[in-house]
Amino acid sequence: MGNVIVVGGGAAGMIAAYAAAGHGHSVVLFEKNEKLGKKLFITGKGRCNVTNVCEKDKLFENIVSNPKFLYSAFGCFDNRQMMDLLEEAGCPLKVERGERVFPVSDHSSNVIAALERLLRRRKVDIRLRTTVDGLYAENGEIGGVLLSGGKRQAADAVVLATGGLSYPSTGSTGDGYRMAQELGHTVKECAPALAPMEITESWCASLQGLSLKNIALTMSCGKKKIWDGFGEMLFTHFGISGPLVLSASSFYGKCKDKDNVVVTLDLKPALSAEQLDRRILRDFEGNPNKQFKNVISGLYPSKLTPVMVSLSGIDGEKKIHEITKQERTRLLEITKGLQMHVSGLRDYAEAIITQGGIRVKEVNPSTMESKCAKGLYFAGEVLDLDAVTGGFNLQIAWSTGYLAGSSIV
């Protein structure tokens, strides 16, 4: 059995160290922060959406980049195995809407504590506040790592689990990309993903703080639909955010014409256009002498009503009996198709994950071992892998980390 170094004490690094130690290796885990799991601590607004309990085929459907690369990883260590592992380590879990899995306590710290217990059981040597500056290899074979200050630490195998560029305050500063490139790897261009969207329409900012539930969102580039979903979103001072928007943002990066991306909201997806028209007509017929702005207030949240009045082009003071069929049709259209133009995504400081990373063609999907340097393995966000919201990105970290640690011979 050999000496293994794991670089990065996040989700992927911790599970890789655990798996490697379980195969009899002597494992040292280097983490530059003062504690393990710093990014894990803030995921899911501090609750930590550990994974998603959906069936395996649905796992793949929710992967945005390179799902086929993950066949072996998900086959080796899947969502249910991760749940069993955490519960055995003293972190009971619960399943919520959308099959998302959280700790019963609603505290990410309990997930991190469980992982630390697992590492201690297997006698992993955890070295905090220790920065790895680079890797070194000889004759195409990994030799070890270069610590800050120039000190070399030899190893028979190294797992690089340094994360991406998102949330740089947690230590995700892209170091792993540079280290991999120095050993011959190429890195696919990186971009923020699962990030809030900036919107050009000025009325959007007036809705800051408004949360909409049970709506349908479609994102299009020109005439081509890129993504659609159903759920919840939030208006902000710069545009839109929330689960629906974050998932849609992962597909924004795939758009070739980013100047022509439009988000369309169906505010009443439970009603067909005909049903909604009948509902509006019923409200109108029951209140012929009331002002337009007062009659439609029952259709929308109060904060949204003046915006919808403005966008409809109908004077809010106008009496209902004076409204034409054409005006009513316009109101119907914007209710079923409220459009906003996307000017871009927020940067890495607000992005949950990074899209892009080490090209998966240069990594063996059956082992996570580098094809450029024998004995070098990759796990987690440092790879060109990402998914929508719902626990899928963490499952990528668990599965690739476990497979990398288990594959070291």
PDB file of all heavy atoms in Angstrom, residues 158-182:
ATOM      1  N   VAL A 158      -1.638  11.152  -6.145  1.00  0.00           N
ATOM      2  CA  VAL A 158      -2.204  12.436  -5.714  1.00  0.00           C
ATOM      3  C   VAL A 158      -3.611  12.566  -6.283  1.00  0.00           C
ATOM      4  O   VAL A 158      -3.833  12.302  -7.467  1.00  0.00           O
ATOM      5  CB  VAL A 158      -1.345  13.627  -6.201  1.00  0.00           C
ATOM      6  CG1 VAL A 158      -2.042  14.958  -5.892  1.00  0.00           C
ATOM      7  CG2 VAL A 158       0.041  13.602  -5.567  1.00  0.00           C
ATOM      8  N   VAL A 159      -4.550  12.964  -5.425  1.00  0.00           N
ATOM      9  CA  VAL A 159      -5.905  13.284  -5.879  1.00  0.00           C
ATOM     10  C   VAL A 159      -6.054  14.804  -5.829  1.00  0.00           C
ATOM     11  O   VAL A 159      -5.903  15.407  -4.764  1.00  0.00           O
ATOM     12  CB  VAL A 159      -6.990  12.627  -4.999  1.00  0.00           C
ATOM     13  CG1 VAL A 159      -8.381  12.997  -5.523  1.00  0.00           C
ATOM     14  CG2 VAL A 159      -6.821  11.118  -4.956  1.00  0.00           C
ATOM     15  N   LEU A 160      -6.340  15.386  -6.986  1.00  0.00           N
ATOM     16  CA  LEU A 160      -6.518  16.837  -7.070  1.00  0.00           C
ATOM     17  C   LEU A 160      -8.010  17.145  -6.976  1.00  0.00           C
ATOM     18  O   LEU A 160      -8.781  16.816  -7.883  1.00  0.00           O
ATOM     19  CB  LEU A 160      -5.932  17.352  -8.383  1.00  0.00           C
ATOM     20  CG  LEU A 160      -5.677  18.858  -8.486  1.00  0.00           C
ATOM     21  CD1 LEU A 160      -4.624  19.307  -7.473  1.00  0.00           C
ATOM     22  CD2 LEU A 160      -5.218  19.229  -9.893  1.00  0.00           C
ATOM     23  N   ALA A 161      -8.412  17.750  -5.859  1.00  0.00           N
ATOM     24  CA  ALA A 161      -9.829  18.055  -5.608  1.00  0.00           C
ATOM     25  C   ALA A 161      -9.935  19.485  -5.100  1.00  0.00           C
ATOM     26  O   ALA A 161     -10.459  19.743  -4.019  1.00  0.00           O
ATOM     27  CB  ALA A 161     -10.406  17.065  -4.601  1.00  0.00           C
ATOM     28  N   THR A 162      -9.418  20.409  -5.898  1.00  0.00           N
ATOM     29  CA  THR A 162      -9.280  21.804  -5.483  1.00  0.00           C
ATOM     30  C   THR A 162     -10.489  22.680  -5.791  1.00  0.00           C
ATOM     31  O   THR A 162     -10.471  23.873  -5.519  1.00  0.00           O
ATOM     32  CB  THR A 162      -8.043  22.421  -6.159  1.00  0.00           C
ATOM     33  OG1 THR A 162      -8.105  22.126  -7.563  1.00  0.00           O
ATOM     34  CG2 THR A 162      -6.763  21.837  -5.593  1.00  0.00           C
ATOM     35  N   GLY A 163     -11.525  22.102  -6.399  1.00  0.00           N
ATOM     36  CA  GLY A 163     -12.710  22.883  -6.715  1.00  0.00           C
ATOM     37  C   GLY A 163     -12.513  23.759  -7.933  1.00  0.00           C
ATOM     38  O   GLY A 163     -11.544  23.603  -8.687  1.00  0.00           O
ATOM     39  N   GLY A 164     -13.456  24.702  -8.126  1.00  0.00           N
ATOM     40  CA  GLY A 164     -13.414  25.562  -9.298  1.00  0.00           C
ATOM     41  C   GLY A 164     -13.073  26.986  -8.945  1.00  0.00           C
ATOM     42  O   GLY A 164     -12.137  27.249  -8.189  1.00  0.00           O
ATOM     43  N   LEU A 165     -13.874  27.924  -9.476  1.00  0.00           N
ATOM     44  CA  LEU A 165     -13.641  29.360  -9.254  1.00  0.00           C
ATOM     45  C   LEU A 165     -14.784  30.020  -8.494  1.00  0.00           C
ATOM     46  O   LEU A 165     -14.681  31.181  -8.119  1.00  0.00           O
ATOM     47  CB  LEU A 165     -13.469  30.062 -10.610  1.00  0.00           C
ATOM     48  CG  LEU A 165     -12.168  29.743 -11.360  1.00  0.00           C
ATOM     49  CD1 LEU A 165     -12.326  30.090 -12.840  1.00  0.00           C
ATOM     50  CD2 LEU A 165     -10.998  30.490 -10.757  1.00  0.00           C
ATOM     51  N   SER A 166     -15.877  29.288  -8.282  1.00  0.00           N
ATOM     52  CA  SER A 166     -17.044  29.890  -7.638  1.00  0.00           C
ATOM     53  C   SER A 166     -16.828  30.034  -6.133  1.00  0.00           C
ATOM     54  O   SER A 166     -16.150  29.225  -5.503  1.00  0.00           O
ATOM     55  CB  SER A 166     -18.289  29.044  -7.899  1.00  0.00           C
ATOM     56  OG  SER A 166     -18.081  27.715  -7.483  1.00  0.00           O
ATOM     57  N   TYR A 167     -17.423  31.090  -5.564  1.00  0.00           N
ATOM     58  CA  TYR A 167     -17.258  31.442  -4.153  1.00  0.00           C
ATOM     59  C   TYR A 167     -15.778  31.502  -3.770  1.00  0.00           C
ATOM     60  O   TYR A 167     -15.308  30.730  -2.925  1.00  0.00           O
ATOM     61  CB  TYR A 167     -17.993  30.446  -3.250  1.00  0.00           C
ATOM     62  CG  TYR A 167     -19.501  30.496  -3.336  1.00  0.00           C
ATOM     63  CD1 TYR A 167     -20.271  29.343  -3.176  1.00  0.00           C
ATOM     64  CD2 TYR A 167     -20.173  31.687  -3.591  1.00  0.00           C
ATOM     65  CE1 TYR A 167     -21.657  29.375  -3.254  1.00  0.00           C
ATOM     66  CE2 TYR A 167     -21.553  31.733  -3.674  1.00  0.00           C
ATOM     67  CZ  TYR A 167     -22.298  30.575  -3.501  1.00  0.00           C
ATOM     68  OH  TYR A 167     -23.656  30.617  -3.588  1.00  0.00           O
ATOM     69  N   PRO A 168     -15.001  32.391  -4.397  1.00  0.00           N
ATOM     70  CA  PRO A 168     -13.560  32.461  -4.106  1.00  0.00           C
ATOM     71  C   PRO A 168     -13.245  32.711  -2.638  1.00  0.00           C
ATOM     72  O   PRO A 168     -12.163  32.361  -2.168  1.00  0.00           O
ATOM     73  CB  PRO A 168     -13.076  33.626  -4.988  1.00  0.00           C
ATOM     74  CG  PRO A 168     -14.305  34.385  -5.370  1.00  0.00           C
ATOM     75  CD  PRO A 168     -15.411  33.391  -5.398  1.00  0.00           C
ATOM     76  N   SER A 169     -14.202  33.281  -1.895  1.00  0.00           N
ATOM     77  CA  SER A 169     -13.972  33.528  -0.468  1.00  0.00           C
ATOM     78  C   SER A 169     -13.791  32.230   0.319  1.00  0.00           C
ATOM     79  O   SER A 169     -13.261  32.237   1.433  1.00  0.00           O
ATOM     80  CB  SER A 169     -15.139  34.320   0.127  1.00  0.00           C
ATOM     81  OG  SER A 169     -16.347  33.592  -0.003  1.00  0.00           O
ATOM     82  N   THR A 170     -14.219  31.099  -0.263  1.00  0.00           N
ATOM     83  CA  THR A 170     -14.054  29.809   0.416  1.00  0.00           C
ATOM     84  C   THR A 170     -12.742  29.124   0.025  1.00  0.00           C
ATOM     85  O   THR A 170     -12.473  28.008   0.454  1.00  0.00           O
ATOM     86  CB  THR A 170     -15.225  28.856   0.087  1.00  0.00           C
ATOM     87  OG1 THR A 170     -15.195  28.534  -1.321  1.00  0.00           O
ATOM     88  CG2 THR A 170     -16.558  29.480   0.429  1.00  0.00           C
ATOM     89  N   GLY A 171     -11.950  29.793  -0.817  1.00  0.00           N
ATOM     90  CA  GLY A 171     -10.668  29.212  -1.217  1.00  0.00           C
ATOM     91  C   GLY A 171     -10.662  28.636  -2.619  1.00  0.00           C
ATOM     92  O   GLY A 171      -9.639  28.108  -3.068  1.00  0.00           O
ATOM     93  N   SER A 172     -11.801  28.724  -3.308  1.00  0.00           N
ATOM     94  CA  SER A 172     -11.874  28.211  -4.683  1.00  0.00           C
ATOM     95  C   SER A 172     -11.317  29.264  -5.643  1.00  0.00           C
ATOM     96  O   SER A 172     -12.040  30.132  -6.109  1.00  0.00           O
ATOM     97  CB  SER A 172     -13.330  27.896  -5.052  1.00  0.00           C
ATOM     98  OG  SER A 172     -13.843  26.901  -4.215  1.00  0.00           O
ATOM     99  N   THR A 173     -10.029  29.167  -5.913  1.00  0.00           N
ATOM    100  CA  THR A 173      -9.381  30.200  -6.723  1.00  0.00           C
ATOM    101  C   THR A 173      -8.772  29.650  -8.005  1.00  0.00           C
ATOM    102  O   THR A 173      -7.943  30.303  -8.639  1.00  0.00           O
ATOM    103  CB  THR A 173      -8.299  30.912  -5.894  1.00  0.00           C
ATOM    104  OG1 THR A 173      -7.458  29.918  -5.269  1.00  0.00           O
ATOM    105  CG2 THR A 173      -8.919  31.764  -4.798  1.00  0.00           C
ATOM    106  N   GLY A 174      -9.168  28.423  -8.391  1.00  0.00           N
ATOM    107  CA  GLY A 174      -8.721  27.875  -9.667  1.00  0.00           C
ATOM    108  C   GLY A 174      -7.297  27.333  -9.675  1.00  0.00           C
ATOM    109  O   GLY A 174      -6.734  27.089 -10.747  1.00  0.00           O
ATOM    110  N   ASP A 175      -6.705  27.132  -8.495  1.00  0.00           N
ATOM    111  CA  ASP A 175      -5.324  26.635  -8.429  1.00  0.00           C
ATOM    112  C   ASP A 175      -5.155  25.299  -9.153  1.00  0.00           C
ATOM    113  O   ASP A 175      -4.128  25.039  -9.779  1.00  0.00           O
ATOM    114  CB  ASP A 175      -4.880  26.454  -6.971  1.00  0.00           C
ATOM    115  CG  ASP A 175      -4.957  27.733  -6.164  1.00  0.00           C
ATOM    116  OD1 ASP A 175      -4.952  28.810  -6.795  1.00  0.00           O
ATOM    117  OD2 ASP A 175      -5.038  27.672  -4.938  1.00  0.00           O
ATOM    118  N   GLY A 176      -6.159  24.450  -9.036  1.00  0.00           N
ATOM    119  CA  GLY A 176      -6.056  23.115  -9.628  1.00  0.00           C
ATOM    120  C   GLY A 176      -5.925  23.134 -11.134  1.00  0.00           C
ATOM    121  O   GLY A 176      -5.261  22.267 -11.720  1.00  0.00           O
ATOM    122  N   TYR A 177      -6.556  24.117 -11.781  1.00  0.00           N
ATOM    123  CA  TYR A 177      -6.457  24.214 -13.237  1.00  0.00           C
ATOM    124  C   TYR A 177      -5.007  24.453 -13.652  1.00  0.00           C
ATOM    125  O   TYR A 177      -4.489  23.805 -14.559  1.00  0.00           O
ATOM    126  CB  TYR A 177      -7.336  25.363 -13.760  1.00  0.00           C
ATOM    127  CG  TYR A 177      -8.798  25.251 -13.403  1.00  0.00           C
ATOM    128  CD1 TYR A 177      -9.528  26.376 -13.023  1.00  0.00           C
ATOM    129  CD2 TYR A 177      -9.462  24.030 -13.461  1.00  0.00           C
ATOM    130  CE1 TYR A 177     -10.872  26.292 -12.708  1.00  0.00           C
ATOM    131  CE2 TYR A 177     -10.804  23.938 -13.136  1.00  0.00           C
ATOM    132  CZ  TYR A 177     -11.508  25.071 -12.760  1.00  0.00           C
ATOM    133  OH  TYR A 177     -12.834  24.972 -12.441  1.00  0.00           O
ATOM    134  N   ARG A 178      -4.372  25.394 -12.955  1.00  0.00           N
ATOM    135  CA  ARG A 178      -2.969  25.695 -13.271  1.00  0.00           C
ATOM    136  C   ARG A 178      -2.071  24.485 -13.013  1.00  0.00           C
ATOM    137  O   ARG A 178      -1.221  24.134 -13.836  1.00  0.00           O
ATOM    138  CB  ARG A 178      -2.493  26.885 -12.411  1.00  0.00           C
ATOM    139  CG  ARG A 178      -1.006  27.166 -12.532  1.00  0.00           C
ATOM    140  CD  ARG A 178      -0.563  28.250 -11.575  1.00  0.00           C
ATOM    141  NE  ARG A 178      -0.952  28.023 -10.190  1.00  0.00           N
ATOM    142  CZ  ARG A 178      -0.319  27.186  -9.357  1.00  0.00           C
ATOM    143  NH1 ARG A 178       0.729  26.483  -9.784  1.00  0.00           N
ATOM    144  NH2 ARG A 178      -0.727  27.055  -8.112  1.00  0.00           N
ATOM    145  N   MET A 179      -2.274  23.811 -11.888  1.00  0.00           N
ATOM    146  CA  MET A 179      -1.447  22.642 -11.558  1.00  0.00           C
ATOM    147  C   MET A 179      -1.580  21.549 -12.615  1.00  0.00           C
ATOM    148  O   MET A 179      -0.594  20.924 -13.017  1.00  0.00           O
ATOM    149  CB  MET A 179      -1.849  22.080 -10.194  1.00  0.00           C
ATOM    150  CG  MET A 179      -1.576  22.996  -9.023  1.00  0.00           C
ATOM    151  SD  MET A 179      -2.065  22.185  -7.470  1.00  0.00           S
ATOM    152  CE  MET A 179      -2.418  23.604  -6.446  1.00  0.00           C
ATOM    153  N   ALA A 180      -2.817  21.316 -13.063  1.00  0.00           N
ATOM    154  CA  ALA A 180      -3.058  20.285 -14.077  1.00  0.00           C
ATOM    155  C   ALA A 180      -2.434  20.682 -15.415  1.00  0.00           C
ATOM    156  O   ALA A 180      -1.850  19.848 -16.121  1.00  0.00           O
ATOM    157  CB  ALA A 180      -4.555  20.050 -14.241  1.00  0.00           C
ATOM    158  N   GLN A 181      -2.551  21.955 -15.766  1.00  0.00           N
ATOM    159  CA  GLN A 181      -1.972  22.436 -17.024  1.00  0.00           C
ATOM    160  C   GLN A 181      -0.455  22.278 -17.035  1.00  0.00           C
ATOM    161  O   GLN A 181       0.137  21.942 -18.067  1.00  0.00           O
ATOM    162  CB  GLN A 181      -2.348  23.906 -17.247  1.00  0.00           C
ATOM    163  CG  GLN A 181      -3.789  24.095 -17.708  1.00  0.00           C
ATOM    164  CD  GLN A 181      -4.191  25.561 -17.797  1.00  0.00           C
ATOM    165  OE1 GLN A 181      -3.890  26.354 -16.897  1.00  0.00           O
ATOM    166  NE2 GLN A 181      -4.861  25.924 -18.869  1.00  0.00           N
ATOM    167  N   GLU A 182       0.167  22.479 -15.903  1.00  0.00           N
ATOM    168  CA  GLU A 182       1.618  22.349 -15.814  1.00  0.00           C
ATOM    169  C   GLU A 182       2.074  20.912 -16.071  1.00  0.00           C
ATOM    170  O   GLU A 182       3.231  20.678 -16.421  1.00  0.00           O
ATOM    171  CB  GLU A 182       2.103  22.823 -14.438  1.00  0.00           C
ATOM    172  CG  GLU A 182       2.025  24.346 -14.283  1.00  0.00           C
ATOM    173  CD  GLU A 182       2.242  24.823 -12.857  1.00  0.00           C
ATOM    174  OE1 GLU A 182       2.341  23.957 -11.955  1.00  0.00           O
ATOM    175  OE2 GLU A 182       2.302  26.049 -12.639  1.00  0.00           O
TER     176      GLU A 182
END
